[in-house]
Amino acid sequence: MGNPLHLRRTPIDFAENSQIIEIIEKVGDFKQLAAAVESDLAALDADKIPTGWRDRKVSGELRFGFADAQGRVPALEGELNATLDAVCQRCLEPLELPLTSNLRLVFLGEQGREIDGEAYEVWELDGDELSIVELIEEALLMAIPFVAMHDGDAGCTAKAEAGAAEEKMTLPFANLKTQMQQED
């Protein structure tokens, strides 16, 4: 059997077989994800672009089954993990961006949102078949923060520079209220 990432079947087929797909791949194996990372890293000088960013690991597990007891609502639960190279939007330096995407999906219309009291997200398909690669790419792309930044102050040169600037800042109106009260 070939790579399970390239399987295209209906969600019902995956669910009926209780398909479990373990993922241990590289960022470069996902065209859309790699294109998004490459586009972001293009903002860096060539000497700052991390080497081997395409070889970073994407891992996880997808478990298919049914969300209802009657076996009519195909569902997927799983977790995806990846560490992407990105550009900190605060200091414009490279950073390692850890991503985790927890999935609880059903592949039906709006009636599938809540099954047996448990909330699921409805995943819309283009056509009848589900592409595992496309699902993984889309889930990870949605997990990327809108503005990537270093976590806390560690490693962010802009945060350190901003702190130094705050120390030097003069506040010309800091005691204005006191001065106005003294004039009255």
Side-chain angles (χ1 to χ4, degrees), residues 106-126:
V106 291
F107 302 96
L108 272 188
E110 293 297 316
Q111 74 273 17
R113 280 202 193 268
E114 193 155 319
I115 307 294
D116 298 332
E118 297 190 37
Y120 286 87
E121 181 180 343
V122 176
W123 193 272
E124 294 184 25
L125 300 174
D126 294 332

Side-chain angles (χ1 to χ4, degrees), residues 83-178:
T83 299
L84 304 180
D85 287 290
V87 177
C88 174
Q89 297 302 301
R90 189 182 295 142
C91 68
L92 302 177
E93 295 291 328
L95 71 97
E96 292 181 4
L97 185 64
L99 297 178
T100 298
S101 181
N102 292 305
L103 304 172
R104 289 185 51 80
L105 309 174
V106 291
F107 302 96
L108 272 188
E110 293 297 316
Q111 74 273 17
R113 280 202 193 268
E114 193 155 319
I115 307 294
D116 298 332
E118 297 190 37
Y120 286 87
E121 181 180 343
V122 176
W123 193 272
E124 294 184 25
L125 300 174
D126 294 332
D128 293 335
E129 293 185 327
L130 172 66
S131 166
I132 300 299
V133 168
E134 290 172 11
L135 182 135
I136 291 169
E137 284 186 312
E138 202 166 325
L140 288 173
L141 286 169
M142 289 189 307
I144 296 173
F146 189 65
V147 178
M149 291 186 284
H150 285 101
D151 222 7
D153 296 343
C156 191
T157 57
K159 193 73 169 168
E161 290 170 8
E166 282 179 20
E167 289 176 15
K168 295 177 185 177
M169 187 181 342
T170 59
L171 303 171
F173 301 107
N175 64 356
L176 182 61
K177 182 177 178 182
T178 307

Side-chain angles (χ1 to χ4, degrees), residues 3-7 22-38 52-59 81-84 131-138 140-141:
N3 187 341
L5 290 182
H6 299 291
L7 293 175
E22 291 184 7
I23 300 126
I24 301 175
E25 299 291 328
K26 296 176 182 178
V27 170
D29 296 332
F30 300 94
K31 290 178 186 175
Q32 290 180 347
L33 185 61
V37 172
E38 186 172 36
W53 64 266
R54 290 179 196 279
D55 295 328
R56 292 236 185 230
K57 189 169 74 168
V58 173
S59 64
N81 299 294
T83 299
L84 304 180
S131 166
I132 300 299
V133 168
E134 290 172 11
L135 182 135
I136 291 169
E137 284 186 312
E138 202 166 325
L140 288 173
L141 286 169

Side-chain angles (χ1 to χ4, degrees), residues 34-54:
V37 172
E38 186 172 36
S39 174
D40 189 40
L41 294 177
L44 295 172
D45 293 333
D47 61 326
K48 290 187 177 182
I49 295 175
T51 57
W53 64 266
R54 290 179 196 279

